[in-house]
Amino acid sequence: MGAIMELNEFIDSLNDFIDNVSERKYYIGGIVGTNVFKITIDCVLAKTNFENICVIEGCQDYIGLSKPSICRNHLYYMDLIKETKIPNYGSGDSFDRGFMVWNPLTLEYKYEIDANCFIGFDYIIINDSQLIPPDILNAIEDTFPGKIIVIFDPYEYGAESYIGYSNIVDTLSKQSTIVAFARSIFNIPTRSIDKSVKCSVKESKISRRSIGSNNSQYVTNNKFIASALWEKQINSSFKRGQKLWVMDDRIFHIIDSNNVKYSITKNSLLVVDSVPTNGKSLRLRVWNSKYIFNHSVAYKKCDDIDKIFVVPANMLMIDQMRYHRFSDTVLISDNVLNQRERYLIVKNTNNLTIGI
């Protein structure tokens, strides 16, 4: 792990970066509970107004959990990507009866950062950057001309590329019991515990037949256990409450009635809100949000470009869990978890049940 900074060292270092006109990028990590984002935005707000700051989230859940900003400056990183469909003009299949018809098998997609999203901003704060693909992160840094502050958690499973960067571990605020437990996995103490926060970690006997039958998020590192549940879900009709994991590389930008953009793309998590009796579309909700939309989905890639490619998500593998936050999680595992996997599972839930 990289050098551990004291809180006062971090604040002094960040203020020096803000005041230095020649520096553009600042990287800082923090284990759960350190409030790195709050400290960062407080330091930046001491130098500029909120409307001059663009906050980019690596985790889509935080967009749905917060009230839409009147400044339109709180974005999921995929909101920045502009997708262009390019039909294969050289193919005879692309034309029919004199009109151009897009053949899904010959379509190509071009992706680029929409620089218009950055107009009017002097600062970008990127939160949970460990969830953003490196090529997209690099493209954001290359496109935005102002100051960029990149925040990440180097202790997470899947964030190994951030080992070596400076990070902070101390916190002066009270933490919930489960956050303190997550910190203890790396032998990092917590000064004060807030026992008023409802959370839990417990063991319980779990029947294999009951897996995926309630609102809890089931997680495993055993592909055979997951595959059995996935196959069961695929072979049954869609039901209210089922979770769907988006596998589609394409981006479905949807604008709601309040002109708020939702980007449905790879690693998005959807919940079936209802199954209409007529039509092929499902009524879907974006996980950890109140946003509901109608769309067709498919459990495999198909020729229909209007369908979203999804897979069952009532059971997730551990590497998928890093992208979302859950209230109640049930861990089913026959294998020993490593330190980073244990930390990730505890960090990303409020109530954890370990199946025995």
Side-chain angles (χ1 to χ4, degrees), residues 257-317:
S257 57
N258 295 318
N259 204 32
V260 176
K261 180 189 289 186
Y262 291 85
S263 298
I264 312 303
T265 188
K266 191 170 186 177
N267 298 323
S268 290
L269 184 59
L270 307 176
V271 182
V272 178
D273 187 70
S274 65
V275 182
T277 54
N278 298 318
K280 298 181 180 179
S281 295
L282 294 174
R283 188 174 168 86
L284 301 165
R285 177 172 58 84
V286 178
W287 179 249
N288 272 331
S289 83
K290 295 181 180 178
Y291 179 62
I292 295 174
F293 66 104
N294 294 304
H295 215 286
S296 298
V297 301
Y299 277 135
K300 60 182 180 179
K301 287 186 178 180
C302 62
D303 295 346
D304 190 341
I305 62 174
D306 291 327
K307 287 188 175 181
I308 302 174
F309 172 33
V310 300
V311 294
N314 283 22
M315 169 73 84
L316 295 179
M317 300 298 293

Side-chain angles (χ1 to χ4, degrees), residues 310-328:
V310 300
V311 294
N314 283 22
M315 169 73 84
L316 295 179
M317 300 298 293
I318 290 175
D319 62 333
Q320 293 175 299
M321 188 180 179
R322 62 195 296 253
Y323 294 100
H324 295 281
R325 308 296 183 260
F326 302 97
S327 177
D328 301 286

Side-chain angles (χ1 to χ4, degrees), residues 31-186:
I31 197 169
V32 65
T34 49
N35 299 323
V36 186
F37 176 77
K38 184 180 186 306
I39 295 171
T40 298
I41 201 164
D42 285 346
C43 288
V44 177
L45 284 173
K47 306 290 182 178
T48 190
N49 296 324
F50 180 64
E51 59 266 24
N52 299 325
I53 306 168
C54 180
V55 176
I56 299 173
E57 297 283 1
C59 178
Q60 189 171 19
D61 294 12
Y62 293 136
I63 302 297
L65 290 170
S66 61
K67 292 183 179 179
S69 168
I70 59 173
C71 301
R72 297 287 189 261
N73 60 348
H74 189 204
L75 306 171
Y76 177 46
Y77 77 92
M78 292 303 292
D79 297 342
L80 307 171
I81 310 298
K82 184 165 57 177
E83 179 185 79
T84 306
K85 298 180 180 70
I86 307 172
N88 184 347
Y89 290 101
S91 170
D93 293 336
S94 294
F95 292 87
D96 183 25
R97 297 183 301 279
F99 296 93
M100 186 178 75
V101 177
W102 285 4
N103 179 350
L105 300 180
T106 61
L107 276 178
E108 295 181 1
Y109 294 85
K110 176 185 177 183
Y111 300 94
E112 58 185 335
I113 299 293
D114 185 357
N116 291 327
C117 294
F118 298 144
I119 294 175
F121 298 123
D122 299 322
Y123 294 85
I124 280 181
I125 300 175
I126 303 176
N127 194 34
D128 280 325
S129 69
Q130 76 274 4
L131 302 179
I132 302 176
D135 57 337
I136 295 180
L137 185 61
N138 291 335
I140 293 172
E141 294 176 348
D142 292 341
T143 304
F144 182 66
K147 284 186 173 290
I148 300 172
I149 302 171
V150 181
I151 302 171
F152 50 89
D153 186 341
Y155 297 86
E156 268 192 15
Y157 175 76
E160 289 80 2
S161 62
Y162 285 90
I163 295 174
Y165 287 95
S166 297
N167 65 95
I168 61 174
V169 298
D170 197 8
T171 177
L172 300 179
S173 59
K174 281 187 175 183
Q175 301 298 321
S176 68
T177 305
I178 200 164
V179 167
F181 180 44
R183 292 164 58 85
S184 72
I185 292 171
F186 283 94

